[in-house]
Amino acid sequence: MRIAGKGLVDGSATIGFRFDGRDYTGFAGDTLASALLASGVRLFGRSFKYHRPRGVMTTGAEEPNALVTVGRGARAVPNVRATVQEIHGGLEARGQNAWPSLGLDLMAVNDLFAPFFGAGFYYKTFMWPRAFWERLYEPLIRRAAGLGALSGRSNDEAYEKAWAFCDLLVIGAGPAGLMAALGAARAGAEVILADEDSRMGGRLLLESHEVAGRAGADWAGAVLAELGAMANVRLMTRTTVTGAYDGGTYGALERVGLHVANPSEDLPRECFWRIVARRAVLAGGAHERQIAFANNDRPGIMTAGAVRGYLNRWGVAAGRSVTVFANNDDGHRTARDLVAAGVRIAALVDVREDVAMAGDFPVHAGARVIDTVGRQSLREVVIADREGRVSRIASDCLAVSGGWNPALHLACHMNGRPVWREDIAAFVPKPGMVPGMRVAGAANGAFSTQACLAEGLAAAAAVLDDLGFKAAPVDLPEAEDGAVRIRAYWEVPGATHRAWLDFANDVTTKDVRLAAQENFASVEHMKRYTTLGMAPDQGKNSSVTALAILAETTGRGIAETGTTTFRPPYVPVSIAALGAGGQGRGFAPKRLTTSDRAARERGAPMIEAGLWYRPSYFPRPGEATWREACDREVAMVRDRVGVCDVSTLGKIDIQGPDAGRFLDLVYSNTFSTLKPGRVRYGLMLREDGMVMDDGTTACLGPGHYLMTTTTAAAGQVMRHLDFVQQAHCHDWDLRMISVTEAWAQFAVAGPLARDLLNSVLAEPIDGAAFPFLACGEVRLMGVAARLFRISFSGELGFEVAVPARYGAALWRDLVARAESLGGGAYGMEALNVLRIEKGFVTHAEIHGRVTAFDIGLQAMVSGKKDCIGKAASTRPGLSGPEREQLVGLRPVAADRAIAAGAHLFDEAAEAVSANDRGYVTSACWSPTLGSHLALGFLRDGRARIGTRVRLVDHLRKAEVLCEVTDPVFFDPEGGRARG
Amino acid sequence: MASLIETTACEGLLPVATQDVTLGELPFACITSVAPFDGRQDAVAAALKAMGLGWPGPGQSVRAGDAACFWAGRDQAFLIGAAPEGLAGIAALTDQSDGWARMHLEGPGAEAVLARLIALDLRPAAFPEGAVARTGLGHMMAVLLREGPQSFQIMVFRSMAGTAVHNLHQAMRAIAARAAV
């Protein structure tokens, strides 16, 4: 019900929205909660476990009850707090955890079985038969319980992450935060003022207080106008600081587009900020507590501060006849404000006997609320006076104030523990719990407006002093300065029905007592036993009351009982915001070669190799499967000429007087003897003696080398070289840098490779001038290039490198020339077949657990010098017949396919892991040899060449009898590459 | 014989613009990495001085006309827009001209765009004109230089140009969309 003339909303701007399938209207400035309350809606959702009808309880981010799902389809967001969601023209929200509807929820039958459903019930009851828990009981229970559900589909909306830096981060823009920001900003400090509300001002917007002789909201508006005009101030509305981390770093969640009707696709819905601040002032206010009494969860029962907040800020009366129940003077303000606005106060019930409150309504001092009536909306409040006489008060709204809990969460995020203050019955932060952070105002236990203003200003002065700024004059305005008068009162004793503590997780006082009774008596154990404080509100509304009841039950004091651990985030943070930028392919950058476009134009499917995209094969018309294209490409290289982009291999330029010596240290074989114009194959070991990588290194000139690495290990090798140089030989004179990206490099392989190259080279080459493993500078088509005679296919092969800007053009030219010679481009599939036929290893074989001995390259570990990994490679057990050694495998029946990953067994042995003799690492169909081929590791394999093994693929249920062969299947003498 | 056509790293990707930020590709320039050999630091600095430049301190750059020398890491600088005269033999030199996509980001929102992708404090006091950083741009390694109050030079590996442009353009559009709310 809207009260004319009250509130800060813009009554001239009407906005339509939908809730639970019905149309409603509200005003600009309304939240979903205020607009629905104004429209008379009481029922917002169903509770977690018992499906109890629930209404809105608070005005803020701590709301435990009014959780709704906003949006539709993949874009639906569950568990949105109606108190935070602003209304807009496109808003579509619905209540949660109800079937078939909020009003008629069949699951509410759970409430009738409530006597059975206390904490720990499931664990004790559904124990037998054991297997039923996972398959039957738990899924059933989970379906019946719960809050909103995710859509299960990928949300395509934009989210964002960002960084910000400042001298001072002020968290909360109430009276304390505004004064802190103003004090620091006037002195010239760079200030970020973050507030989770859509409008700054904090409690000043919710109260009827005056500040400096004007309405609190107007004073806040004037301060904000001044701050907004200053270049050194950034005002971040709708931004909740969610965590305090090391080094003055704070996480913050900004609602960017969630309040906008029909937002642009580019507009992020939320932004997750990392704010690095030299200092911070936490001025996050406080949360009002409930009092536990029977049936204290009915729609219409709210915090007293919320009831007057809805009136003062949104002009909404939360009921027609309001009862106030309090243990402190603050609750009385609600009665005063409502009466002033013409709302009927049915009664003021105060547990204190000495309460003095005059008003045009009945005051029941020393009384208490013992029950309530009304299922989907509160109808009656049942009270007992100090003599125990029971009476019923017709009331549709009950405003409860059990005192205030400072919102000190962020101050405790680095494991600091707050201290209990008996005088205000609240936990307050200790100074210095988060380095660089001060706490001011209600978050610090200073509850009067005057104290908040003063503490904010004092915090700014202290920060300015810390940072060496000269403070500028700021007047401290005058405001109400009421003392805190409270009697700690947590629970109305002798409840005959359940009394709720954690509304969001349906935890009652009885559950807390049960926990204590079953010896889950520490506060952390009680939390886990009951799930109190584990719902979206993370105990903001319940945990202090619960631990007070636990303290009472166990006979310890509240201070001794202590709080549970406060951990980030302070409010729920969507994974979409935390992972912003990582949706779909945003997860990793794409690395594209210069031939990428040409390959895709030819319809080549691309496969990922590290971050690179490489063509699998180049399909031609009439080829139905990848195998046909692959077989043709292999035959092209063996018979004519093929061209393949090998730019993705790592290239490291190494220069300096000690470069050769350095290569000797990192490679197992010798490189210092390599002459300019020559290339050598090298093997690199890890410190532990296992093979790390292999590749070729060319000597470009005296003391100048170009190392190549495999595509996948390029980064690892670069890091390794850096480490070796810095850790083992920092005084050797050499420099290295990656040049992978600078060069486009293409393999040209096949019997006609030289003919193809001679058609583009300025000066033709021949076998004598450019023998196997030669390299040199050449010119082709007007461009300076590098030529290497190396082969990964076993054919006459070259690799030609040009500056990357020429790569696209050279690729098209080489492929066209190859095609005119009966060849063409070949992809990764053909490359793999060609190298398996030749027994060349890749990281399928050098997978990190093999030694040079295992792959048959022990001769490459030079005996004449030391190298990284050499000593470790001689350890017992890293060579010898017990090792699994690289072998070739050929099915006895050539048409039987072999799959990589299959395991090897002796011919007569049972195929069980105890008899495992090895495994297959690479497999292919060899069109050259007309047989399936594989490489694999077999125990004592080299001694078993010529024998047979049983190959069993347990995954694909295949079994193939294979002959063990040398790993080099094709051209074992290597004449083709050298010719 | 036909000559080879050059393709720039950001061919077909740039320029892009939003209301108050533009992203364009910088024209091709010769880039040479310069890493002085042991004991030749002064000689290298002198040679760079003779070119009107100088050896840049960590996180700094030295500029003279179209030529510039960027700090690029420990004992390493990138000489951009000038041939490495007088440096052969006293420093390891490699041609990096083709290894990088070089972009120019300019406009009142440039700093806000970079705040979406780079974790550094880029406020003018912390990252003034001429400051250089090797840093992360999203998931990519990048070189960043502040050219002026509202303009930056960004270098990423050539192969990642597409992802860099996509990420930067996305951040630009998000900033523009915020301004339109």
Side-chain angles (χ1 to χ4, degrees):
Chain A
M1 185 175 64
R2 206 72 83 158
I3 307 283
K6 287 293 288 183
L8 308 172
V9 288
D10 179 2
S12 66
T14 306
I15 295 169
F17 64 96
R18 286 177 75 78
F19 176 67
D20 252 4
R22 283 196 201 160
D23 290 313
Y24 294 92
T25 58
F27 297 136
D30 261 329
T31 62
L32 184 59
S34 69
L36 287 175
L37 274 179
S39 306
V41 173
R42 310 294 294 252
L43 182 58
F44 279 71
R46 290 277 176 167
S47 75
F48 182 72
K49 203 154 90 176
Y50 304 120
H51 292 252
R52 301 262 296 183
R54 291 282 168 80
V56 67
M57 198 175 98
T58 71
T59 53
E62 71 277 22
E63 175 61 32
N65 282 343
L67 305 180
V68 299
T69 296
V70 172
R72 274 196 298 186
R75 295 182 167 192
V77 179
N79 301 340
V80 174
R81 290 144 295 166
T83 49
V84 172
Q85 176 65 52
E86 296 162 62
I87 60 164
H88 59 74
L91 179 64
E92 205 176 317
R94 57 182 194 276
Q96 299 179 158
N97 202 27
W99 187 85
S101 71
L102 266 188
L104 175 69
D105 176 14
L106 296 180
M107 289 290 192
V109 70
N110 274 10
D111 200 25
L112 300 178
F113 296 116
F116 304 109
F117 280 178
F121 165 73
Y122 299 122
Y123 306 115
K124 292 177 198 161
T125 310
F126 294 101
M127 286 183 64
W128 187 90
R130 205 177 168 80
F132 275 31
W133 173 251
E134 230 174 87
R135 283 190 231 139
L136 181 67
Y137 298 143
E138 195 185 5
L140 274 176
I141 292 162
R142 285 204 186 278
R143 205 168 306 146
L147 300 169
L150 289 166
S151 70
R153 288 190 275 163
S154 171
N155 185 351
D156 61 349
E157 291 174 299
Y159 284 80
E160 190 180 53
K161 282 198 288 193
W163 282 270
F165 300 82
C166 60
D167 294 320
L168 174 64
L169 169 66
V170 180
I171 303 160
L178 286 173
M179 284 308 283
L182 187 65
R186 281 197 187 162
E190 290 204 32
V191 175
I192 291 178
L193 175 58
D195 190 277
E196 67 185 355
D197 209 324
S198 59
R199 176 169 172 170
M200 291 192 174
R203 237 10 258 175
L204 292 176
L205 308 179
L206 302 168
E207 301 285 359
S208 53
H209 300 319
E210 290 195 339
V211 178
R214 55 209 289 208
D218 292 345
W219 177 83
V223 172
L224 287 163
E226 180 179 344
L227 291 172
M230 296 167 89
N232 56 328
V233 176
R234 186 196 291 203
L235 300 178
M236 296 179 72
T237 54
R238 301 185 176 90
T239 304
T240 311
V241 177
T242 58
Y245 304 92
D246 284 322
T249 305
Y250 295 84
L253 182 69
E254 180 190 8
R255 307 186 303 280
V256 182
L258 296 178
H259 61 291
V260 180
N262 307 313
S264 129
E265 291 292 310
D266 292 332
L267 184 70
R269 300 312 183 258
E270 292 176 302
C271 178
F272 189 74
W273 288 89
R274 274 71 44 95
I275 301 172
V276 183
R278 296 170 71 195
R279 294 290 183 277
V281 171
L282 172 61
H287 300 130
E288 197 167 20
R289 298 190 287 249
Q290 281 282 348
I291 295 171
F293 52 86
N295 288 317
N296 62 336
D297 67 330
R298 299 196 190 281
I301 303 178
M302 302 165 68
T303 63
V307 172
R308 68 176 183 276
Y310 280 109
L311 177 73
N312 289 323
R313 177 160 172 191
W314 291 284
V316 173
R320 289 168 196 284
S321 174
V322 180
T323 298
V324 177
F325 179 37
N327 66 343
N328 66 84
D329 284 4
D330 196 69
H332 299 184
R333 286 185 180 146
T334 301
R336 266 198 303 268
D337 285 359
L338 288 174
V339 164
V343 180
R344 180 172 175 265
I345 295 295
L348 171 69
V349 182
D350 197 311
V351 299
R352 297 170 297 172
E353 314 209 331
D354 55 347
V355 61
M357 169 85 184
D360 191 15
F361 45 79
V363 176
H364 302 270
R368 57 211 181 265
V369 174
I370 58 167
D371 201 358
T372 64
V373 180
R375 181 141 181 96
Q376 295 201 356
S377 175
L378 180 72
R379 291 202 314 272
E380 279 183 343
V381 176
V382 185
I383 68 166
D385 69 11
R386 67 182 84 182
E387 276 84 39
R389 282 190 300 263
V390 173
S391 57
R392 300 165 88 91
I393 301 168
S395 206
D396 60 351
C397 176
L398 176 58
V400 183
S401 180
W404 292 79
N405 292 325
L408 45 70
H409 306 62
L410 288 162
C412 302
H413 276 179
M414 296 179 80
N415 221 16
R417 298 283 172 167
V419 292
W420 177 250
R421 255 179 70 182
E422 202 73 51
D423 59 328
I424 58 169
F427 281 99
V428 294
K430 280 192 296 255
M433 293 205 293
V434 171
M437 178 199 273
R438 290 169 193 279
V439 189
N444 199 33
F447 289 143
S448 81
T449 311
Q450 186 67 58
C452 287
L453 294 165
E455 284 206 356
L457 191 56
V463 165
L464 293 172
D465 192 47
D466 272 4
L467 298 181
F469 285 93
K470 192 173 174 297
V474 179
D475 291 332
L476 181 65
E478 283 203 20
E480 68 74 34
D481 197 13
V484 178
R485 278 189 285 271
I486 182 168
R487 175 182 150 202
Y489 191 88
W490 310 104
E491 180 188 14
V492 176
T496 49
H497 297 278
R498 282 163 295 165
W500 266 264
L501 290 168
D502 187 329
F503 296 82
N505 255 2
D506 261 351
V507 181
T508 66
T509 53
K510 192 178 137 196
D511 295 323
V512 173
R513 291 215 169 77
L514 184 64
Q517 184 189 318
E518 307 218 336
N519 207 24
F520 292 95
S522 107
V523 67
E524 298 281 11
H525 289 157
M526 178 275 286
K527 169 178 171 173
R528 281 150 187 83
Y529 189 76
T530 62
T531 73
L532 183 135
M534 293 161 74
D537 77 335
Q538 288 285 290
K540 289 186 188 71
N541 302 287
S542 59
S543 93
V544 173
T545 310
L547 70 90
I549 291 172
L550 182 69
E552 205 175 85
T553 308
T554 56
R556 294 169 300 188
I558 290 174
E560 190 192 341
T561 301
T563 64
T564 51
T565 307
F566 294 87
R567 295 184 183 87
Y570 172 68
V571 295
V573 179
S574 52
I575 299 292
L578 289 175
Q583 282 164 305
R585 297 210 182 271
F587 185 69
K590 277 195 214 177
R591 297 183 82 175
L592 304 183
T593 62
T594 57
S595 68
D596 186 79
R597 182 176 293 180
R600 288 175 203 262
E601 281 169 9
R602 284 174 175 264
M606 306 303 277
I607 53 167
E608 290 171 56
L611 299 175
W612 290 99
Y613 287 75
R614 305 185 75 181
S616 296
Y617 55 96
F618 294 85
R620 283 192 182 169
E623 288 171 347
T625 66
W626 70 271
R627 258 286 302 283
E628 288 175 42
C630 175
D631 288 355
R632 171 186 46 79
E633 288 172 16
V634 170
M636 243 163 45
V637 175
R638 293 274 179 244
D639 301 336
R640 313 293 296 175
V641 61
V643 182
C644 180
D645 192 333
V646 293
S647 310
T648 61
L649 272 71
K651 307 180 216 37
I652 302 169
D653 186 282
I654 304 171
Q655 299 183 39
D658 291 319
R661 195 178 161 202
F662 180 69
L663 290 173
D664 283 350
L665 179 63
V666 294
Y667 273 129
S668 70
N669 48 329
T670 306
F671 275 81
S672 50
T673 54
L674 189 66
K675 300 277 184 295
R678 298 294 296 168
V679 185
R680 187 170 287 169
Y681 174 75
L683 194 67
M684 205 177 278
L685 306 183
R686 290 193 315 231
E687 195 70 77
D688 65 1
M690 300 293 161
V691 177
M692 183 166 86
D693 198 38
D694 68 344
T696 61
T697 287
C699 184
L700 301 177
H704 189 185
Y705 299 87
L706 180 69
M707 175 188 283
T708 65
T709 73
T710 57
T711 299
Q716 184 193 1
V717 169
M718 187 79 218
R719 193 169 65 223
H720 176 68
L721 299 189
D722 257 336
F723 174 81
V724 170
Q725 207 232 331
Q726 292 184 33
H728 299 319
C729 48
H730 64 92
D731 53 347
W732 293 9
D733 197 7
L734 70 130
R735 301 290 180 267
M736 55 199 158
I737 188 168
S738 168
V739 291
T740 306
E741 295 271 345
W743 298 88
Q745 192 154 322
F746 306 119
V748 180
L752 302 179
R754 197 183 286 119
D755 303 279
L756 192 160
L757 281 171
N758 279 338
S759 72
V760 293
L761 290 173
E763 298 187 16
I765 51 164
D766 60 31
F770 218 88
F772 186 55
L773 295 178
C775 70
E777 305 262 331
V778 293
R779 284 193 77 77
L780 58 85
M781 302 170 95
V783 173
R786 288 171 174 172
L787 188 65
F788 309 87
R789 188 166 160 197
I790 49 182
S791 175
F792 196 51
S793 59
E795 296 302 320
L796 170 64
F798 297 87
E799 290 187 9
V800 59
V802 290
R805 63 186 184 278
Y806 301 111
L810 181 61
W811 169 262
R812 287 180 195 272
D813 191 84
L814 290 176
V815 170
R817 285 170 199 269
E819 284 172 347
S820 72
L821 292 171
Y826 67 101
M828 291 303 99
E829 296 293 351
L831 180 133
N832 196 40
V833 172
L834 291 162
R835 70 96 191 169
I836 292 173
E837 290 176 344
K838 282 294 297 174
F840 292 148
V841 297
T842 66
H843 280 282
E845 284 74 38
I846 48 173
H847 50 51
R849 292 176 293 138
V850 302
T851 63
F853 172 87
D854 297 341
I855 55 172
L857 296 179
Q858 64 273 29
M860 285 187 68
V861 184
S862 168
K864 296 185 190 140
K865 64 169 188 71
D866 195 14
C867 71
I868 300 287
K870 182 176 175 179
S873 73
T874 62
R875 287 178 295 165
L878 293 187
S879 60
E882 68 273 26
R883 295 293 297 177
E884 290 167 344
Q885 301 159 5
L886 183 70
V887 293
L889 296 163
R890 218 172 163 143
V892 172
D895 60 338
R896 293 296 304 277
I898 301 175
H903 278 248
L904 307 175
F905 300 92
D906 292 337
E907 225 181 319
E910 196 189 344
V912 294
S913 56
N915 296 330
D916 194 353
R917 293 289 175 269
Y919 53 96
V920 178
T921 51
S922 304
C924 71
W925 165 258
S926 164
T928 315
L929 300 173
S931 170
H932 285 277
L933 302 177
L935 297 174
F937 288 90
L938 176 66
R939 188 180 297 183
D940 201 19
R942 287 193 279 276
R944 297 181 63 170
I945 290 174
T947 67
R948 288 178 173 186
V949 290
R950 195 174 151 212
L951 182 151
V952 181
D953 185 343
H954 287 95
L955 203 64
R956 302 176 190 83
K957 305 274 181 271
E959 186 166 339
V960 185
L961 192 61
C962 285
E963 186 190 337
V964 181
T965 71
D966 187 88
V968 185
F969 298 99
F970 180 69
D971 187 26
E973 298 77 28
R976 298 174 73 94
R978 288 188 176 82
Chain B
M1 190 183 289
S3 59
L4 292 174
I5 297 167
E6 298 179 19
T7 311
T8 70
C10 302
E11 190 116 334
L13 300 170
L14 293 176
V16 293
T18 54
Q19 203 165 350
D20 59 358
V21 189
T22 57
L23 180 68
E25 181 169 20
L26 287 167
F28 179 84
C30 177
I31 306 174
T32 309
S33 70
V34 180
F37 288 123
D38 288 357
R40 311 308 292 270
Q41 186 64 250
D42 291 346
V44 169
L48 286 167
K49 203 106 191 163
M51 297 167 66
L53 295 162
W55 182 259
Q60 293 172 6
S61 64
V62 184
R63 283 196 283 183
D66 287 340
C69 198
F70 289 15
W71 175 86
R74 186 179 62 102
D75 295 333
Q76 192 183 82
F78 283 174
L79 176 63
I80 302 178
E85 286 165 33
L87 290 166
I90 57 175
L93 306 174
T94 66
D95 183 5
Q96 294 278 340
S97 314
D98 289 76
W100 298 88
R102 294 168 67 232
M103 291 167 278
H104 176 77
L105 184 77
E106 180 156 24
E111 222 176 282
V113 168
L114 293 177
R116 268 71 196 159
L117 295 164
I118 292 179
L120 294 180
D121 185 354
L122 298 180
R123 288 177 295 167
F127 197 73
E129 205 172 309
V132 173
R134 288 200 87 153
T135 182
L137 179 89
H139 293 295
M140 289 161 284
M141 200 251 271
V143 180
L144 180 72
L145 167 95
R146 184 189 277 272
E147 287 180 338
Q150 298 183 346
S151 64
F152 294 88
Q153 200 179 119
I154 303 163
M155 292 165 60
V156 297
F157 280 162
R158 180 189 188 101
S159 67
M160 300 186 189
T163 300
V165 168
H166 176 264
N167 288 2
L168 285 163
H169 193 204
Q170 190 172 46
M172 288 162 62
R173 292 198 314 263
I175 299 292
R178 276 173 178 261
V181 169

